[in-house]
Short mmCIF file of all heavy atoms in Angstrom, two decimals:
data_model
loop_
_atom_site.label_atom_id
_atom_site.label_comp_id
_atom_site.label_asym_id
_atom_site.label_seq_id
_atom_site.Cartn_x
_atom_site.Cartn_y
_atom_site.Cartn_z
N MET A 26 117.98 125.46 101.81
CA MET A 26 116.67 124.88 102.17
C MET A 26 115.59 125.48 101.27
O MET A 26 115.48 126.68 101.11
CB MET A 26 116.38 125.20 103.64
CG MET A 26 115.11 124.57 104.16
SD MET A 26 114.91 124.92 105.92
CE MET A 26 113.15 125.18 106.00
N GLN A 27 114.81 124.59 100.72
CA GLN A 27 113.77 125.03 99.80
C GLN A 27 112.42 125.07 100.50
O GLN A 27 112.06 124.15 101.22
CB GLN A 27 113.71 124.06 98.62
CG GLN A 27 112.96 124.63 97.44
CD GLN A 27 113.33 123.90 96.16
OE1 GLN A 27 113.98 122.87 96.21
NE2 GLN A 27 112.92 124.43 95.02
N GLU A 28 111.71 126.15 100.25
CA GLU A 28 110.40 126.29 100.89
C GLU A 28 109.30 125.83 99.96
O GLU A 28 109.35 126.04 98.75
CB GLU A 28 110.15 127.75 101.28
CG GLU A 28 110.91 128.15 102.52
CD GLU A 28 110.39 129.48 103.04
OE1 GLU A 28 109.18 129.63 103.16
OE2 GLU A 28 111.23 130.34 103.32
N ASP A 29 108.30 125.20 100.54
CA ASP A 29 107.14 124.79 99.76
C ASP A 29 106.17 125.96 99.69
O ASP A 29 105.58 126.35 100.69
CB ASP A 29 106.49 123.59 100.44
CG ASP A 29 105.31 123.08 99.64
OD1 ASP A 29 104.99 123.69 98.59
OD2 ASP A 29 104.73 122.07 100.04
N LEU A 30 106.03 126.53 98.52
CA LEU A 30 105.21 127.72 98.39
C LEU A 30 103.71 127.41 98.29
O LEU A 30 102.89 128.31 98.26
CB LEU A 30 105.65 128.52 97.15
CG LEU A 30 107.08 129.05 97.22
CD1 LEU A 30 107.43 129.78 95.93
CD2 LEU A 30 107.26 129.98 98.40
N SER A 31 103.38 126.14 98.21
CA SER A 31 101.96 125.80 98.06
C SER A 31 101.23 125.81 99.40
O SER A 31 100.01 125.76 99.44
CB SER A 31 101.82 124.43 97.41
OG SER A 31 102.28 123.43 98.28
N THR A 32 101.99 125.87 100.47
CA THR A 32 101.35 125.95 101.78
C THR A 32 101.91 127.15 102.54
O THR A 32 102.99 127.63 102.26
CB THR A 32 101.60 124.69 102.62
OG1 THR A 32 102.99 124.53 102.81
CG2 THR A 32 101.02 123.46 101.96
N GLU A 33 101.16 127.62 103.52
CA GLU A 33 101.67 128.65 104.39
C GLU A 33 101.28 128.34 105.82
O GLU A 33 100.36 127.56 106.06
CB GLU A 33 101.16 130.02 103.98
CG GLU A 33 99.65 130.14 103.97
CD GLU A 33 99.23 131.54 103.54
OE1 GLU A 33 99.32 132.45 104.37
OE2 GLU A 33 98.86 131.72 102.37
N THR A 34 101.99 128.93 106.74
CA THR A 34 101.68 128.68 108.13
C THR A 34 100.95 129.87 108.72
O THR A 34 101.16 131.01 108.32
CB THR A 34 102.95 128.41 108.94
OG1 THR A 34 103.82 129.52 108.82
CG2 THR A 34 103.65 127.15 108.47
N SER A 35 100.07 129.58 109.64
CA SER A 35 99.30 130.62 110.30
C SER A 35 99.54 130.52 111.80
O SER A 35 99.42 129.44 112.38
CB SER A 35 97.82 130.44 110.00
OG SER A 35 97.05 131.38 110.71
N LYS A 36 99.93 131.62 112.41
CA LYS A 36 100.14 131.62 113.85
C LYS A 36 98.82 131.85 114.56
O LYS A 36 98.13 132.84 114.31
CB LYS A 36 101.14 132.70 114.25
CG LYS A 36 102.54 132.41 113.76
CD LYS A 36 103.48 133.53 114.15
CE LYS A 36 104.90 133.22 113.65
NZ LYS A 36 105.82 134.32 113.96
N GLN A 37 98.46 130.92 115.42
CA GLN A 37 97.18 131.00 116.13
C GLN A 37 97.40 130.66 117.59
O GLN A 37 98.48 130.21 117.98
CB GLN A 37 96.18 130.00 115.52
CG GLN A 37 95.87 130.25 114.06
CD GLN A 37 95.07 131.51 113.84
OE1 GLN A 37 94.28 131.91 114.68
NE2 GLN A 37 95.26 132.17 112.70
N TYR A 38 96.33 130.83 118.36
CA TYR A 38 96.38 130.43 119.76
C TYR A 38 95.33 129.37 120.01
O TYR A 38 94.18 129.52 119.57
CB TYR A 38 96.15 131.64 120.67
CG TYR A 38 97.31 132.61 120.62
CD1 TYR A 38 97.29 133.68 119.74
CD2 TYR A 38 98.42 132.43 121.44
CE1 TYR A 38 98.36 134.55 119.67
CE2 TYR A 38 99.49 133.30 121.37
CZ TYR A 38 99.46 134.37 120.48
OH TYR A 38 100.53 135.22 120.40
N CYS A 39 95.70 128.35 120.72
CA CYS A 39 94.78 127.26 121.02
C CYS A 39 93.59 127.78 121.82
O CYS A 39 93.77 128.48 122.81
CB CYS A 39 95.53 126.18 121.81
SG CYS A 39 94.44 124.89 122.41
N PRO A 40 92.37 127.43 121.41
CA PRO A 40 91.18 127.88 122.15
C PRO A 40 91.01 127.19 123.49
O PRO A 40 90.16 127.57 124.29
CB PRO A 40 90.02 127.56 121.19
CG PRO A 40 90.53 126.45 120.34
CD PRO A 40 92.01 126.66 120.21
N TYR A 41 91.78 126.15 123.74
CA TYR A 41 91.69 125.43 125.02
C TYR A 41 92.76 125.91 126.00
O TYR A 41 92.46 126.41 127.08
CB TYR A 41 91.88 123.93 124.81
CG TYR A 41 90.80 123.27 123.98
CD1 TYR A 41 91.01 122.99 122.65
CD2 TYR A 41 89.59 122.92 124.55
CE1 TYR A 41 90.03 122.37 121.88
CE2 TYR A 41 88.61 122.30 123.81
CZ TYR A 41 88.83 122.03 122.47
OH TYR A 41 87.87 121.42 121.73
N CYS A 42 94.02 125.76 125.61
CA CYS A 42 95.11 126.03 126.55
C CYS A 42 95.74 127.40 126.33
O CYS A 42 96.52 127.86 127.15
CB CYS A 42 96.16 124.92 126.46
SG CYS A 42 97.05 124.88 124.89
N GLY A 43 95.40 128.07 125.21
CA GLY A 43 95.92 129.40 124.97
C GLY A 43 97.36 129.44 124.51
O GLY A 43 97.94 130.50 124.34
N GLU A 44 97.93 128.28 124.27
CA GLU A 44 99.32 128.23 123.82
C GLU A 44 99.41 128.62 122.35
O GLU A 44 98.50 128.39 121.56
CB GLU A 44 99.90 126.82 124.03
CG GLU A 44 100.20 126.48 125.47
CD GLU A 44 101.31 127.34 126.04
OE1 GLU A 44 102.27 127.65 125.31
OE2 GLU A 44 101.21 127.70 127.22
N HIS A 45 100.54 129.19 122.01
CA HIS A 45 100.80 129.56 120.62
C HIS A 45 101.03 128.31 119.79
O HIS A 45 101.82 127.45 120.16
CB HIS A 45 102.03 130.46 120.59
CG HIS A 45 102.45 130.84 119.23
ND1 HIS A 45 103.58 130.36 118.63
CD2 HIS A 45 101.86 131.66 118.32
CE1 HIS A 45 103.68 130.88 117.41
NE2 HIS A 45 102.66 131.65 117.20
N ILE A 46 100.32 128.20 118.69
CA ILE A 46 100.48 127.04 117.82
C ILE A 46 100.64 127.51 116.39
O ILE A 46 100.33 128.65 116.05
CB ILE A 46 99.26 126.08 117.91
CG1 ILE A 46 97.97 126.86 117.62
CG2 ILE A 46 99.20 125.40 119.27
CD1 ILE A 46 96.75 126.00 117.62
N ARG A 47 101.15 126.65 115.57
CA ARG A 47 101.36 126.98 114.17
C ARG A 47 100.62 125.99 113.30
O ARG A 47 100.80 124.79 113.41
CB ARG A 47 102.86 126.94 113.86
CG ARG A 47 103.21 127.57 112.55
CD ARG A 47 104.70 127.58 112.36
NE ARG A 47 105.26 126.24 112.51
CZ ARG A 47 106.53 125.94 112.34
NH1 ARG A 47 107.38 126.89 112.07
NH2 ARG A 47 106.96 124.71 112.48
N LEU A 48 99.76 126.51 112.47
CA LEU A 48 98.96 125.65 111.60
C LEU A 48 99.49 125.74 110.18
O LEU A 48 99.89 126.80 109.71
CB LEU A 48 97.50 126.10 111.61
CG LEU A 48 96.73 125.95 112.92
CD1 LEU A 48 95.36 126.60 112.76
CD2 LEU A 48 96.57 124.49 113.29
N ILE A 49 99.47 124.62 109.52
CA ILE A 49 99.81 124.59 108.10
C ILE A 49 98.51 124.82 107.32
O ILE A 49 97.57 124.05 107.43
CB ILE A 49 100.41 123.23 107.68
CG1 ILE A 49 101.57 122.87 108.61
CG2 ILE A 49 100.84 123.27 106.23
CD1 ILE A 49 102.76 123.78 108.50
N ILE A 50 98.49 125.89 106.56
CA ILE A 50 97.29 126.22 105.79
C ILE A 50 97.55 125.94 104.32
O ILE A 50 98.48 126.47 103.73
CB ILE A 50 96.92 127.71 105.97
CG1 ILE A 50 96.79 128.04 107.45
CG2 ILE A 50 95.65 128.03 105.20
CD1 ILE A 50 95.71 127.28 108.18
N GLU A 51 96.72 125.10 103.75
CA GLU A 51 96.85 124.83 102.33
C GLU A 51 95.85 125.69 101.57
O GLU A 51 94.76 125.94 102.04
CB GLU A 51 96.59 123.35 102.05
CG GLU A 51 97.62 122.45 102.69
CD GLU A 51 97.40 121.00 102.32
OE1 GLU A 51 96.97 120.74 101.19
OE2 GLU A 51 97.62 120.15 103.17
N PRO A 52 96.24 126.16 100.40
CA PRO A 52 95.33 126.99 99.61
C PRO A 52 94.14 126.20 99.10
O PRO A 52 94.30 125.09 98.58
CB PRO A 52 96.21 127.49 98.46
CG PRO A 52 97.30 126.48 98.34
CD PRO A 52 97.52 125.93 99.72
N PHE A 53 92.96 126.77 99.27
CA PHE A 53 91.74 126.10 98.82
C PHE A 53 90.93 127.06 97.97
O PHE A 53 91.07 128.28 98.06
CB PHE A 53 90.88 125.69 100.02
CG PHE A 53 91.53 124.63 100.88
CD1 PHE A 53 91.90 124.92 102.18
CD2 PHE A 53 91.73 123.36 100.40
CE1 PHE A 53 92.48 123.96 102.98
CE2 PHE A 53 92.32 122.39 101.20
CZ PHE A 53 92.69 122.69 102.49
N ASP A 54 90.06 126.50 97.16
CA ASP A 54 89.17 127.32 96.33
C ASP A 54 87.88 127.66 97.06
O ASP A 54 87.10 128.47 96.60
CB ASP A 54 88.82 126.58 95.04
CG ASP A 54 90.04 126.45 94.13
OD1 ASP A 54 90.93 127.31 94.24
OD2 ASP A 54 90.09 125.50 93.34
N GLU A 55 87.63 126.97 98.17
CA GLU A 55 86.42 127.24 98.91
C GLU A 55 86.71 127.08 100.40
O GLU A 55 87.70 126.44 100.77
CB GLU A 55 85.30 126.30 98.48
CG GLU A 55 85.66 124.84 98.56
CD GLU A 55 84.56 123.97 97.96
OE1 GLU A 55 83.99 124.37 96.95
OE2 GLU A 55 84.29 122.90 98.53
N PRO A 56 85.88 127.67 101.27
CA PRO A 56 86.14 127.59 102.71
C PRO A 56 86.21 126.15 103.18
O PRO A 56 85.47 125.28 102.71
CB PRO A 56 84.94 128.32 103.32
CG PRO A 56 84.45 129.22 102.25
CD PRO A 56 84.71 128.47 100.96
N GLN A 57 87.09 125.91 104.13
CA GLN A 57 87.30 124.56 104.65
C GLN A 57 87.08 124.54 106.16
O GLN A 57 87.39 125.51 106.84
CB GLN A 57 88.73 124.09 104.39
CG GLN A 57 89.13 124.06 102.93
CD GLN A 57 88.49 122.90 102.20
OE1 GLN A 57 88.46 121.78 102.70
NE2 GLN A 57 87.98 123.17 101.01
N THR A 58 86.55 123.46 106.64
CA THR A 58 86.45 123.26 108.08
C THR A 58 86.94 121.85 108.39
O THR A 58 86.51 120.89 107.76
CB THR A 58 85.00 123.42 108.56
OG1 THR A 58 84.53 124.71 108.20
CG2 THR A 58 84.93 123.29 110.08
N TYR A 59 87.86 121.76 109.32
CA TYR A 59 88.36 120.45 109.70
C TYR A 59 88.76 120.47 111.16
O TYR A 59 88.80 121.53 111.79
CB TYR A 59 89.51 120.01 108.80
CG TYR A 59 90.69 120.95 108.76
CD1 TYR A 59 91.76 120.77 109.63
CD2 TYR A 59 90.72 122.02 107.88
CE1 TYR A 59 92.85 121.63 109.61
CE2 TYR A 59 91.79 122.88 107.85
CZ TYR A 59 92.86 122.69 108.71
OH TYR A 59 93.92 123.54 108.70
N THR A 60 89.03 119.30 111.67
CA THR A 60 89.41 119.18 113.07
C THR A 60 90.88 118.83 113.18
O THR A 60 91.37 118.00 112.44
CB THR A 60 88.57 118.09 113.76
OG1 THR A 60 87.20 118.41 113.61
CG2 THR A 60 88.89 118.03 115.24
N GLU A 61 91.56 119.51 114.09
CA GLU A 61 92.98 119.23 114.29
C GLU A 61 93.27 119.24 115.78
O GLU A 61 92.73 120.05 116.52
CB GLU A 61 93.80 120.29 113.57
CG GLU A 61 95.28 120.03 113.64
CD GLU A 61 96.01 120.67 112.46
OE1 GLU A 61 95.54 120.55 111.32
OE2 GLU A 61 97.04 121.31 112.71
N ASP A 62 94.13 118.33 116.20
CA ASP A 62 94.49 118.29 117.62
C ASP A 62 95.55 119.33 117.92
O ASP A 62 96.51 119.50 117.17
CB ASP A 62 95.03 116.90 117.98
CG ASP A 62 93.96 115.83 117.94
OD1 ASP A 62 92.77 116.20 117.91
OD2 ASP A 62 94.29 114.65 117.94
N CYS A 63 95.38 120.01 119.04
CA CYS A 63 96.40 120.96 119.50
C CYS A 63 97.69 120.20 119.77
O CYS A 63 97.69 119.15 120.39
CB CYS A 63 95.92 121.65 120.78
SG CYS A 63 97.18 122.68 121.55
N GLU A 64 98.80 120.77 119.30
CA GLU A 64 100.07 120.08 119.51
C GLU A 64 100.57 120.20 120.94
O GLU A 64 101.50 119.52 121.34
CB GLU A 64 101.13 120.61 118.54
CG GLU A 64 101.40 122.09 118.70
CD GLU A 64 102.27 122.63 117.57
OE1 GLU A 64 102.07 122.22 116.41
OE2 GLU A 64 103.13 123.46 117.85
N VAL A 65 99.95 121.09 121.72
CA VAL A 65 100.36 121.27 123.11
C VAL A 65 99.50 120.43 124.06
O VAL A 65 100.00 119.64 124.84
CB VAL A 65 100.29 122.75 123.50
CG1 VAL A 65 100.69 122.94 124.96
CG2 VAL A 65 101.21 123.58 122.60
N CYS A 66 98.17 120.62 123.98
CA CYS A 66 97.29 119.93 124.92
C CYS A 66 96.54 118.76 124.28
O CYS A 66 95.82 118.05 124.97
CB CYS A 66 96.31 120.91 125.55
SG CYS A 66 95.11 121.60 124.39
N CYS A 67 96.70 118.58 122.98
CA CYS A 67 96.15 117.43 122.25
C CYS A 67 94.62 117.38 122.23
O CYS A 67 94.05 116.34 121.94
CB CYS A 67 96.68 116.11 122.82
SG CYS A 67 98.46 115.95 122.63
N ARG A 68 93.98 118.52 122.52
CA ARG A 68 92.52 118.52 122.43
C ARG A 68 92.11 118.93 121.02
O ARG A 68 92.77 119.75 120.38
CB ARG A 68 91.94 119.45 123.49
CG ARG A 68 91.90 118.79 124.85
CD ARG A 68 91.33 119.70 125.91
NE ARG A 68 92.37 120.60 126.39
CZ ARG A 68 92.25 121.32 127.50
NH1 ARG A 68 91.16 121.27 128.23
NH2 ARG A 68 93.23 122.12 127.88
N PRO A 69 90.99 118.37 120.53
CA PRO A 69 90.58 118.64 119.15
C PRO A 69 89.92 120.01 119.01
O PRO A 69 88.98 120.33 119.73
CB PRO A 69 89.59 117.51 118.86
CG PRO A 69 89.02 117.16 120.20
CD PRO A 69 90.10 117.41 121.21
N MET A 70 90.42 120.79 118.08
CA MET A 70 89.82 122.09 117.80
C MET A 70 89.31 122.11 116.36
O MET A 70 89.83 121.42 115.49
CB MET A 70 90.84 123.20 118.01
CG MET A 70 92.06 123.07 117.13
SD MET A 70 93.29 124.28 117.57
CE MET A 70 94.72 123.21 117.73
N ILE A 71 88.27 122.89 116.16
CA ILE A 71 87.70 123.02 114.82
C ILE A 71 88.39 124.18 114.12
O ILE A 71 88.39 125.30 114.61
CB ILE A 71 86.19 123.25 114.90
CG1 ILE A 71 85.53 122.04 115.58
CG2 ILE A 71 85.62 123.49 113.52
CD1 ILE A 71 84.08 122.28 115.95
N VAL A 72 89.01 123.88 113.00
CA VAL A 72 89.73 124.88 112.23
C VAL A 72 88.89 125.27 111.02
O VAL A 72 88.48 124.41 110.25
CB VAL A 72 91.10 124.34 111.77
CG1 VAL A 72 91.86 125.41 110.98
CG2 VAL A 72 91.92 123.85 112.96
N GLN A 73 88.63 126.56 110.90
CA GLN A 73 87.86 127.05 109.77
C GLN A 73 88.77 127.98 108.96
O GLN A 73 89.30 128.95 109.48
CB GLN A 73 86.63 127.81 110.30
CG GLN A 73 85.67 128.23 109.22
CD GLN A 73 84.49 129.01 109.80
OE1 GLN A 73 84.19 128.89 110.98
NE2 GLN A 73 83.86 129.81 108.98
N VAL A 74 88.94 127.65 107.69
CA VAL A 74 89.81 128.44 106.82
C VAL A 74 88.98 129.07 105.72
O VAL A 74 88.30 128.37 104.97
CB VAL A 74 90.93 127.56 106.21
CG1 VAL A 74 91.87 128.41 105.37
CG2 VAL A 74 91.70 126.83 107.30
N GLU A 75 89.04 130.39 105.65
CA GLU A 75 88.32 131.09 104.60
C GLU A 75 89.19 131.16 103.34
O GLU A 75 90.41 130.97 103.38
CB GLU A 75 87.97 132.51 105.06
CG GLU A 75 87.11 132.55 106.32
CD GLU A 75 85.72 131.98 106.08
OE1 GLU A 75 85.30 131.89 104.91
OE2 GLU A 75 85.07 131.63 107.06
N VAL A 76 88.55 131.46 102.22
CA VAL A 76 89.27 131.52 100.95
C VAL A 76 90.36 132.60 100.97
O VAL A 76 91.41 132.46 100.36
CB VAL A 76 88.27 131.77 99.79
CG1 VAL A 76 89.01 131.91 98.46
CG2 VAL A 76 87.26 130.64 99.71
N ASN A 77 90.12 133.67 101.71
CA ASN A 77 91.10 134.76 101.76
C ASN A 77 92.23 134.48 102.74
O ASN A 77 93.09 135.33 102.96
CB ASN A 77 90.41 136.08 102.10
CG ASN A 77 89.80 136.08 103.49
OD1 ASN A 77 89.97 135.14 104.25
ND2 ASN A 77 89.09 137.13 103.83
N GLY A 78 92.23 133.29 103.34
CA GLY A 78 93.31 132.92 104.22
C GLY A 78 93.04 133.17 105.69
O GLY A 78 93.86 132.82 106.53
N ASP A 79 91.90 133.79 106.01
CA ASP A 79 91.56 133.97 107.42
C ASP A 79 91.33 132.63 108.08
O ASP A 79 90.74 131.72 107.49
CB ASP A 79 90.29 134.82 107.56
CG ASP A 79 90.58 136.29 107.33
OD1 ASP A 79 91.76 136.67 107.26
OD2 ASP A 79 89.60 137.06 107.22
N VAL A 80 91.79 132.52 109.31
CA VAL A 80 91.66 131.26 110.05
C VAL A 80 90.92 131.52 111.35
O VAL A 80 91.20 132.48 112.06
CB VAL A 80 93.05 130.66 110.36
CG1 VAL A 80 92.91 129.35 111.14
CG2 VAL A 80 93.83 130.43 109.08
N PHE A 81 89.96 130.68 111.66
CA PHE A 81 89.21 130.77 112.91
C PHE A 81 89.30 129.44 113.63
O PHE A 81 89.16 128.39 113.03
CB PHE A 81 87.74 131.11 112.64
CG PHE A 81 87.55 132.40 111.90
CD1 PHE A 81 87.37 132.40 110.53
CD2 PHE A 81 87.57 133.62 112.57
CE1 PHE A 81 87.21 133.58 109.82
CE2 PHE A 81 87.42 134.80 111.87
CZ PHE A 81 87.23 134.78 110.49
N LEU A 82 89.53 129.51 114.93
CA LEU A 82 89.60 128.30 115.74
C LEU A 82 88.44 128.28 116.71
O LEU A 82 88.10 129.29 117.31
CB LEU A 82 90.91 128.24 116.52
CG LEU A 82 92.20 128.15 115.69
CD1 LEU A 82 93.39 128.03 116.61
CD2 LEU A 82 92.15 126.98 114.75
N GLN A 83 87.83 127.11 116.86
CA GLN A 83 86.74 126.95 117.80
C GLN A 83 86.98 125.71 118.64
O GLN A 83 87.55 124.73 118.17
CB GLN A 83 85.42 126.74 117.05
CG GLN A 83 84.82 127.98 116.46
CD GLN A 83 83.49 127.63 115.84
OE1 GLN A 83 83.43 127.02 114.78
NE2 GLN A 83 82.41 127.99 116.48
N ARG A 84 86.49 125.78 119.88
CA ARG A 84 86.49 124.57 120.69
C ARG A 84 85.43 123.63 120.17
O ARG A 84 84.37 124.08 119.75
CB ARG A 84 86.18 124.93 122.15
CG ARG A 84 87.22 125.81 122.79
CD ARG A 84 86.68 126.38 124.08
NE ARG A 84 86.44 125.33 125.05
CZ ARG A 84 87.04 125.26 126.24
NH1 ARG A 84 87.89 126.19 126.60
NH2 ARG A 84 86.78 124.29 127.07
N GLU A 85 85.72 122.37 120.21
CA GLU A 85 84.76 121.40 119.70
C GLU A 85 83.53 121.31 120.60
O GLU A 85 82.46 120.94 120.14
CB GLU A 85 85.44 120.02 119.59
CG GLU A 85 84.69 119.09 118.68
CD GLU A 85 85.40 117.76 118.55
OE1 GLU A 85 85.68 117.14 119.58
OE2 GLU A 85 85.65 117.35 117.43
N ASP A 86 83.69 121.66 121.86
CA ASP A 86 82.56 121.52 122.78
C ASP A 86 81.75 122.80 122.93
O ASP A 86 80.91 122.91 123.80
CB ASP A 86 83.05 121.04 124.16
CG ASP A 86 84.12 121.97 124.73
OD1 ASP A 86 84.39 123.02 124.12
OD2 ASP A 86 84.66 121.63 125.79
N ASP A 87 81.99 123.80 122.12
CA ASP A 87 81.20 125.03 122.16
C ASP A 87 79.78 124.76 121.71
O ASP A 87 79.57 124.06 120.75
CB ASP A 87 81.82 126.11 121.26
CG ASP A 87 82.76 126.97 122.07
OD1 ASP A 87 82.81 126.79 123.29
OD2 ASP A 87 83.45 127.81 121.47
ZN1 ZN B 107 96.00 123.46 123.37
#
């Protein structure tokens, strides 16, 4: 099995349901913010990815 080295996964916890989730993080040259649905509770969370790979999750209704 060949791994795609251009992406990495980040283990996070959903800000809504607290379940463990796995995000696919793609390398970027600048900070990114996007919305992704939790795979457990399907609620939209705001994903913020810093250039150094740090990931922050926020509830959309905060
Ligand atoms: Zn969730």
Side-chain angles (χ1 to χ4, degrees):
M26 184 177 142
Q27 196 160 11
E28 283 193 48
D29 183 357
L30 297 178
S31 67
T32 60
E33 58 180 282
T34 58
S35 176
K36 292 179 180 177
Q37 299 291 329
Y38 291 93
C39 173
Y41 295 100
C42 67
E44 286 294 322
H45 177 251
I46 54 177
R47 194 176 54 177
L48 294 173
I49 308 294
I50 306 298
E51 295 184 35
F53 294 114
D54 292 333
E55 54 187 38
Q57 300 286 316
T58 302
Y59 57 93
T60 303
E61 184 155 314
D62 291 345
C63 172
E64 60 190 40
V65 179
C66 66
C67 297
R68 280 180 278 195
M70 59 187 130
I71 299 169
V72 181
Q73 187 181 338
V74 183
E75 301 293 341
V76 177
N77 65 6
D79 283 349
V80 180
F81 301 97
L82 296 183
Q83 284 184 285
R84 296 166 65 120
E85 199 178 54
D86 56 6
D87 268 354

